[in-house]
Each structure stands twice: as C-alpha cells, then as structure tokens.
Amino acid sequence: MRPIEFRSDNAAPTADYVLEAIAQANSGSAMAYGGDAITAALQQRVSELFEREARIFPVLTGTAANALGLAAMCPPWGAVICHEVGHILTSEAAATAAFGGGIQVTGLPGAGSLLDPTTVAAHLDGVRWDDPHESQPAVLSVTQATELGAVYPLDRIAELVELAAERGLRVHLDGARLANAIAALGCTPARAVAGVTTFTLGATKNGVLSTDAIVTFDDRVADELRFRLKRAGQVASKMRYASAQLLAYLAEDRWIDSARHANAAMRRLAAGVAALGFTIEPQPEANIAFVAMPDEIRQRWSKAGVDFYDLGPGRIRLVTSFATSDADVDDALDRLRGIV
Ligand SMILES: Cc1ncc(COP(=O)(O)O)c(C=O)c1O
C-alpha cells in the first residue's frame, strides 16, 4: 500500500516552482554573500509584502533564524519569554542561549498553547528588575501558528504587543508556520506581524528546499545580524540560490496559497477522523492536529501505511502540508474506517 505522509510538514518534498527558481538562478556568475541581484530583489519584495522597510537574512534553518534573531534582540543577561511549549524552549537544544551568550528562555503556561497577557503580566510583576542576580526579561516571543496547531487571534497578539511595549520588551515571532496562520486568519502579512520587531519567516515546512530567514524591521537588529550571522556560519557564499527560493516562495502569494492548501487538507482530515469517533484536542486551526487514539488502532493504522508521530500511549500527531492531496486524506480515512 502506498505510504501516506502525516508525520511532519518537514517531511514534505520541495515545491516544483522552488526547484525551477534554483535552476533559473544558475546561470553565469553573481556577487557572493548576498551582493547579487536576486537577493536585492528579495529585499525589495519583503518590504513591499510587509508594507514597511524590512531587512531579510536568509539562513539555513528555522532554529538558526530563531536563535540568531533572538540573540540580536536580547542582551546576554536578558530573558526571552515564550509559551511553555515553545519550540525555542523545548526543541532547539538551547540554541538561543548558545548564540546569545547565555540568554535565559522562560516558558509560561497559557490555555490552548497561546500566551495569556494576564499570565505574562503576573510573571513580569514578579521580576526583580534591575537586580543583577536575575535575568532581565527583554523579549516576548510568540509562535504563530503555535506548536500545537493553534492560531493567535490578531487581537491577542495586539494585547501582547501592547503589554510588551508598556514593560519595555520587544516582540519576536517564531513564524515557522506563519503562512498557515495568515491563511487561517485571512489577514495581510503586514497585519500578522504588526508590532513585531523581528521574526522567523518559515519556509522549509511549506515548500522551500534549504532556506529559512530572519526578517527584521529594526536597523539595530539588522546591523548586529550582519556580524552574528557571519560568526555563526550562516552567510551563504552562493546566497543567490537561497534568495531565489525565497523570492519564488513570496511571489504572487504562493506561500499563502500553499499554506491554505495544507490547512484545508487538515480540516478535511480532522473532520473525517472526528466523524469516526476520535477526539481531536485542541481543534486544529492550521495544519497540525493531536488525536486521542487507542494503541491498537494507531498501530494498525500505521501498519496500513499511514505515517504519523506517535506521542506515547493513546495520542498521535497528524500534520498536513502543501503536498497533501485530497486523495491522500481520503485514502488514509478509508484505511482507518476499515480498522474501526
Ligand atoms: C514552531 C517551530 N519553530 C521552529 C522550528 C525550527 O525549524 P528547523 O527545523 O528548520 O530548525 C520548527 C521545526 O519544526 C517549529 O516547528
């Protein structure tokens, strides 16, 4: 039986238009380290898309984008506040601390994997400000869409931005799935990042081959990143190929269309799984879902060629991508129906 992929959007292939863009970039010579015309066009596209002067720095991974972006926003004695399930806290091997000279990443609880302004405010109230014995909160980092597949409503982000501004923190966004959130919210890219200083664009989960990026609206962060990225080995000599991928990705709303497709595939899958009697919690708003499924059934579904992450007794994670077809979803549901 043909395998059907729901393990991760990282397992999806590269979009054809990205490969074509790389092939097109592959002619003649071009200035190295980002001095090329494609990178210049990418810079322009990003400012146009986010409706203000922005700088984009292509890097290899989302982890590099998060850690180096945060390192440029936060002093070594500072703390970055995120949700307790935040990828930067749970899944990046303390890269933010490593690149940021010891930055502390603090995770706070919040219903539905969303940071709650009241909880953040209470945490900040308890900080011993100006006391050199304690890391000083300097950045609030929001993951949009979240690690659990939820999407922050824009007014929740606005509240967090306001709170951060009142308390002298800057706002960072881990946008590993930013396109999925924009597609779900139906807002403009500019609105999605309103009040955010610096963010991880997210690209490899949504069709790009080998490049993520840091985008910043802050010149000081941009100036610092030039040096930080070089020292971290994240400035590609042949940057035109990285920039070509991102330029193709961001052209003509392809990134949003791809994410909209992934979200729709998840809605179809989640509806089918729920109709077969399984509980999905929280309700998926982007392209990730967590399902309660008895061990025997999940083992048999997996043996039937449906690939997903097994999260331990009774729980699995399903992820769709731009490459998930309706036939994939329907075949997977047929196989599950056969088992149930
Ligand atoms: C929410 C989130 N942020 C950041 C990353 C890091 O991306 P990368 O695997 O490219 O380092 C991931 C990867 O899965 C992620 O899910």
Side-chain angles (χ1 to χ4, degrees), residues 2 261 265 268 321-330:
R2 80 182 172 97
H261 175 98
R268 188 181 184 95
S321 77
F322 79 95
T324 307
S325 66
D326 284 353
D328 290 338
V329 172
D330 294 346

Coordinates of all heavy atoms in Angstrom, one line a residue, residues 2 261 265 268 321-330:
R2 N 0.5 2.3 -0.8 CA 1.4 3.4 -0.8 C 1.4 4.2 0.5 O 0.3 4.3 1.2 CB 1.0 4.3 -2.0 CG -0.2 5.2 -1.7 CD -0.6 6.1 -2.8 NE -1.9 6.8 -2.4 CZ -1.9 8.0 -2.0 NH1 -0.8 8.7 -1.8 NH2 -3.1 8.6 -1.6
H261 N -3.7 25.5 1.3 CA -4.0 24.1 0.9 C -3.7 23.2 2.1 O -4.5 22.3 2.3 CB -3.0 23.8 -0.3 CG -3.1 22.4 -0.7 ND1 -3.9 22.0 -1.8 CD2 -2.6 21.3 -0.2 CE1 -3.8 20.7 -1.9 NE2 -3.0 20.2 -1.0
A265 N -6.4 20.7 3.9 CA -6.2 19.3 4.0 C -6.4 18.8 5.4 O -7.0 17.8 5.7 CB -4.8 18.9 3.4
R268 N -10.1 18.7 6.3 CA -10.7 17.5 5.7 C -10.4 16.3 6.5 O -11.2 15.5 6.9 CB -10.2 17.4 4.3 CG -10.9 16.3 3.4 CD -10.2 16.3 2.1 NE -10.9 15.4 1.1 CZ -11.8 15.7 0.3 NH1 -12.2 17.0 0.2 NH2 -12.4 14.8 -0.5
S321 N 0.5 19.1 4.7 CA 1.4 20.1 4.0 C 0.8 20.5 2.7 O -0.2 20.0 2.3 CB 2.8 19.5 3.8 OG 2.7 18.6 2.7
F322 N 1.6 21.4 2.0 CA 1.2 21.9 0.7 C 1.1 20.7 -0.3 O 0.4 20.8 -1.3 CB 2.2 22.9 0.2 CG 3.4 22.3 -0.4 CD1 3.6 22.0 -1.7 CD2 4.5 21.9 0.5 CE1 4.7 21.4 -2.3 CE2 5.6 21.3 0.0 CZ 5.7 21.0 -1.4
A323 N 1.8 19.6 0.1 CA 1.8 18.4 -0.9 C 0.7 17.4 -0.5 O 0.7 16.4 -1.2 CB 3.2 17.8 -0.8
T324 N 0.0 17.6 0.5 CA -1.1 16.6 0.9 C -2.3 16.8 -0.1 O -2.8 17.8 -0.2 CB -1.6 16.9 2.3 OG1 -0.5 16.9 3.2 CG2 -2.5 15.7 2.7
S325 N -2.6 15.7 -0.8 CA -3.8 15.7 -1.7 C -5.0 15.3 -1.0 O -5.0 14.6 0.0 CB -3.5 14.9 -2.9 OG -3.4 13.5 -2.5
D326 N -6.2 15.6 -1.6 CA -7.4 15.1 -1.1 C -7.4 13.6 -1.1 O -8.0 12.9 -0.3 CB -8.6 15.6 -2.0 CG -8.9 17.1 -1.7 OD1 -8.3 17.6 -0.7 OD2 -9.7 17.7 -2.4
A327 N -6.8 13.0 -2.2 CA -6.8 11.5 -2.3 C -6.0 11.0 -1.1 O -6.3 9.9 -0.6 CB -6.1 11.1 -3.6
D328 N -4.9 11.6 -0.7 CA -4.1 11.2 0.5 C -5.1 11.1 1.7 O -5.1 10.1 2.4 CB -3.0 12.1 0.8 CG -1.9 12.1 -0.2 OD1 -1.8 11.1 -1.0 OD2 -1.1 13.1 -0.3
V329 N -5.8 12.2 1.9 CA -6.6 12.3 3.1 C -7.7 11.2 3.0 O -8.0 10.4 4.0 CB -7.3 13.7 3.2 CG1 -8.3 13.7 4.3 CG2 -6.2 14.7 3.4
D330 N -8.4 11.1 1.8 CA -9.5 10.1 1.7 C -9.0 8.7 1.8 O -9.7 7.9 2.5 CB -10.2 10.4 0.4 CG -10.9 11.7 0.4 OD1 -11.0 12.4 1.5 OD2 -11.3 12.2 -0.7

